Amino acid sequence: MKATGFRSDVVTLYQGGQYNLYRYKKYTDVRLVFVPEFQAAFFGGDPDNFNFPRFNIDMALVRVYENGQPVKPEHYFKWSTAGVKEGNLVFVTGNPGSTSRLNTVAHLEQLRDTSIPIILRLLERREAVLKKYMAMGEEQTRQAQNELNAVQNSLKVYRGQLKGLKDPALIARKQKEEQALRKAIAENPERQKMYGDAWDAIAKAHKAYPTYIRERRIFEQLGGFNSTYFGFARTLVRLADENQKPNAERLPEYTDARRASLELALYSPAPIHDDFEELKLTDSLGFMVELLGADNPLVKEVLAGKTPEARAEEMIKGTKLGDVAVRKELANGGKAAIDASTDPMIVVARMIDAKAREVRKRYESEVTGVERSNYAKIARALFETEGTKLYPDATFTLRLSYGAVEGYMENGQKVPAFTTLGGLFARSDKFKHEFPYNLPERWVAKKSALNLNTPFNFVSTNDIIGGNSGSPTINQNGELVGLIFDGNIQSLVGDFMYDPSVNRAISVDSRGMLEVLKKVFGATEIVSELTAS
């Protein structure tokens, strides 16, 4: 049985040579039952992120209601109290986001040499700004902590990808696979006619992309304008223009189908902190200068003869877009109101919009459009050549992954498949209980009550990617034995290539979750409910 995709409330499964549709029910009343402390869920913080051994209770429990009553489903994954052992078969169900394993060598080389280094530089600057702001006090730390976590997570992902792409062995393997496929196609004139030009078309697209990638990053992707206020300004400027077009001709994010979510973000009453906004905008304007040069005509126009710091201060102090009523008035006033506005955020958003649209159109035409048609050719060619030995790239559709609980070798040392609760406390002791290795007081107080030999986290060979976090890990009896929450550092290049010898998925062990629920939180009723037969 293989899950091949889903649409709305229908799951498509391939069984016994035919496709079958299974309808599932959607619920909207979902209530939180349990969530651990942040410091326990993210123990080890960024240093341990994407690494193993790990010691995290990264989980939450929710209860689904219908008509005001808890749902009691007929079919569900029962909670395993026995857990798994090394070598056991396990499955992971979920909706993995995206992989890029069809990427040609030319595409990978462009990512390695241009795209990823630019993204890393942007993220490195943002990390520095966030740390600077958080150093100002406890409130600033509260405001920026989640964003810092996200930035540091992304930094680790892209650094891992870049390290993998710089590995000659990976490129050599990709070259060998690509040459073999192209050779097989060339031996068949009909296939050569259908698929043979795909690699050259993609190579041409990625050869030209670096000539405008920096302008796209700064002006279209707003890498030079990191501010909530400027995000509002961009939306308002484009909304005024797009509203004048027929719905089918608008940019996708401005169509009627997306209007509700657009307005929800545009009119959000969430507080905005001007000191934080000024710091972020100053840095991103500096990134604009770094990436495009101070002599770039549009850079000069944006800065208006001022330093990034002075220009950011002027724009933040001068904008009125913090007021939801002002944003609504501008939106309701349409293009006339936008064209007449002297708000500095609106003025600059108008200033860069033509260039932003230009590079967006070029990218969509010359890169994504080319990739869409030519990677489809490569996928078909692979299927015709390799048959069912390969599975398609992840696309956020439902997927069932199979693997085994298995350790791996790292730097000549065996990494065991399991960690324990005792290992959690030992790691905290090793780092003298300092952040991010400090445990909540509740955990320290309950240490003596815990069975420290209880398995806590484990690794398996399941092929997962971003989007699988929270997916259940299931044994061959259909029992839940863990919850996916991460991959190891070797998994980061898994976007481009899967290596079963070292690529590992990380789960919270069902036994560790039960032990913590019962003995740290005293949630005995929840444990009884979870383990009831």
Side-chain angles (χ1 to χ4, degrees):
M1 182 176 70
K2 176 173 66 175
T4 60
F6 75 95
R7 174 184 58 80
S8 183
D9 59 344
V10 176
V11 177
T12 309
L13 293 176
Y14 184 75
Q15 289 179 296
Q18 66 179 354
Y19 288 94
N20 300 293
L21 297 182
Y22 294 84
R23 189 169 298 276
Y24 64 87
K25 196 162 188 177
K26 293 183 286 188
Y27 297 97
T28 57
D29 188 353
V30 181
R31 308 180 193 181
L32 183 65
V33 173
F34 167 80
V35 64
E37 303 94 338
F38 171 82
Q39 193 50 34
F42 197 45
F43 178 83
D46 181 61
D48 281 8
N49 190 25
F50 289 115
N51 281 299
F52 199 78
R54 288 292 287 281
F55 306 90
N56 298 77
I57 187 74
D58 195 348
M59 64 166 291
L61 297 174
V62 297
R63 193 185 302 280
V64 178
Y65 285 75
E66 186 176 37
N67 300 322
Q69 297 297 318
V71 171
K72 298 182 185 288
E74 180 182 355
H75 303 289
Y76 60 93
F77 298 129
K78 293 185 178 180
W79 200 288
S80 171
T81 57
V84 285
K85 297 178 181 179
E86 183 147 13
N88 282 176
L89 173 68
V90 285
F91 302 90
V92 172
T93 68
N95 300 74
S98 65
T99 50
S100 306
R101 296 181 186 165
L102 292 179
N103 278 11
T104 65
V105 172
H107 189 165
L108 293 176
E109 289 174 339
Q110 186 281 120
L111 289 172
R112 178 195 66 197
D113 299 337
T114 310
S115 287
I116 294 179
I118 289 173
I119 294 170
L120 281 173
R121 182 61 186 137
L122 178 145
L123 291 170
E124 286 164 355
R125 292 188 64 127
R126 289 192 178 176
E127 180 187 37
V129 165
L130 291 166
K131 287 183 174 179
K132 180 179 178 180
Y133 186 66
M134 292 167 70
M136 295 178 183
E138 187 176 332
E139 174 58 21
Q140 288 87 343
T141 297
R142 185 194 66 79
Q143 294 170 23
Q145 184 67 66
N146 285 342
E147 188 174 347
L148 179 66
N149 293 341
V151 166
Q152 290 182 325
N153 186 74
S154 296
L155 273 169
K156 218 156 206 179
V157 169
Y158 283 111
R159 283 169 178 158
Q161 289 183 356
L162 188 59
K163 182 180 179 181
L165 292 175
K166 286 184 174 181
D167 181 356
L170 183 147
I171 296 297
R173 174 176 162 179
K174 285 289 185 178
Q175 287 174 332
K176 183 179 179 180
E177 292 173 351
E178 187 171 301
Q179 289 166 0
L181 180 58
R182 297 187 75 171
K183 183 175 182 292
I185 290 171
E187 290 172 352
N188 183 316
E190 185 177 346
R191 286 187 181 175
Q192 177 64 23
K193 183 178 179 181
M194 293 172 63
Y195 312 131
D197 62 346
W199 288 267
D200 292 337
I202 292 169
K204 180 180 178 182
H206 283 278
K207 183 178 181 180
Y209 183 36
T211 64
Y212 60 94
I213 187 174
R214 290 165 179 80
E215 290 181 319
R216 177 171 177 258
R217 173 61 59 182
I218 293 298
F219 299 124
E220 172 58 21
Q221 297 179 295
L222 299 185
F225 305 90
N226 182 23
S227 166
T228 303
Y229 293 131
F230 198 87
F232 292 150
R234 157 62 64 83
T235 300
L236 289 165
V237 167
R238 289 200 168 168
L239 186 62
D241 286 329
E242 298 301 306
N243 276 348
Q244 297 181 101
K245 303 175 184 177
N247 188 55
E249 296 177 15
R250 297 174 192 164
L251 294 174
E253 59 268 36
Y254 293 91
T255 56
D256 291 343
R258 299 195 190 180
R259 182 56 57 93
S261 59
L262 181 148
E263 291 183 350
L264 188 66
L266 181 59
Y267 303 139
S268 169
I272 304 171
H273 308 280
D274 282 3
D275 58 342
F276 193 19
E277 293 297 307
E278 190 173 319
L279 200 62
K280 291 189 296 182
L281 185 56
T282 296
D283 174 72
S284 57
L285 290 173
F287 181 60
M288 176 182 69
V289 175
E290 176 185 320
L291 213 57
L292 300 180
D295 292 331
N296 180 286
L298 197 47
V299 170
K300 285 184 174 181
E301 191 175 358
V302 168
L303 292 179
K306 299 177 177 65
T307 65
E309 185 175 22
R311 187 65 167 126
E313 181 182 8
E314 179 180 66
M315 291 173 67
I316 296 297
K317 287 184 176 179
T319 189
K320 305 297 183 187
L321 297 184
D323 187 336
V324 175
V326 170
R327 301 200 294 270
K328 287 184 176 181
E329 184 179 354
L330 282 166
N332 293 334
K335 187 162 177 59
I338 293 298
D339 288 346
S341 175
T342 59
D343 188 292
M345 293 289 175
I346 297 290
V347 170
V348 176
R350 288 198 311 253
M351 186 186 298
I352 70 169
D353 200 48
K355 172 58 71 174
R357 286 175 179 269
E358 173 195 321
V359 292
R360 172 175 176 155
K361 184 177 180 180
R362 185 175 178 188
Y363 178 76
E364 290 176 348
S365 172
E366 296 181 9
V367 179
T368 56
V370 170
E371 287 179 353
R372 189 178 299 112
S373 58
N374 287 285
Y375 276 128
K377 292 180 182 179
I378 293 173
R380 288 196 297 270
L382 266 174
F383 180 75
E384 290 181 9
T385 305
E386 301 292 336
T388 58
K389 289 191 293 183
L390 300 175
Y391 45 87
D393 271 322
T395 56
F396 280 104
T397 50
L398 188 63
R399 181 171 294 199
L400 180 67
S401 165
Y402 65 89
V405 177
E406 187 179 310
Y408 58 100
M409 298 298 295
E410 183 175 58
N411 299 324
Q413 300 293 319
K414 173 72 173 180
V415 179
F418 292 90
T419 63
T420 64
L421 281 169
L424 166 70
F425 289 96
R427 192 151 179 81
S428 183
D429 291 342
K430 178 181 178 180
F431 290 96
K432 304 185 188 309
H433 313 283
E434 295 180 355
F435 181 85
Y437 298 100
N438 54 313
L439 282 166
E441 291 183 10
R442 184 203 318 255
W443 288 66
V444 177
K446 297 290 186 179
K447 178 182 176 181
S448 60
L450 290 165
N451 177 357
L452 298 180
N453 293 319
T454 304
F456 196 27
N457 295 167
F458 67 88
V459 289
S460 62
T461 62
N462 296 86
D463 185 4
I464 65 164
I465 201 74
N468 270 122
S469 293
S471 293
T473 309
I474 306 158
N475 64 17
Q476 60 188 21
N477 298 320
E479 298 171 325
L480 186 142
V481 294
L483 289 176
I484 291 289
F485 72 93
D486 208 354
N488 63 352
I489 202 75
Q490 293 85 349
S491 73
L492 294 177
V493 77
D495 189 20
F496 311 117
M497 181 186 75
Y498 176 71
D499 182 353
S501 68
V502 292
N503 190 324
R504 293 293 181 270
I506 307 176
S507 297
V508 190
D509 195 294
S510 61
R511 292 165 290 185
M513 290 187 276
L514 292 174
E515 183 76 0
V516 167
L517 281 167
K518 184 166 53 178
K519 296 182 181 177
V520 175
F521 292 92
T524 53
E525 292 184 4
I526 293 175
V527 170
S528 296
E529 187 175 354
L530 291 173
T531 56
S533 58

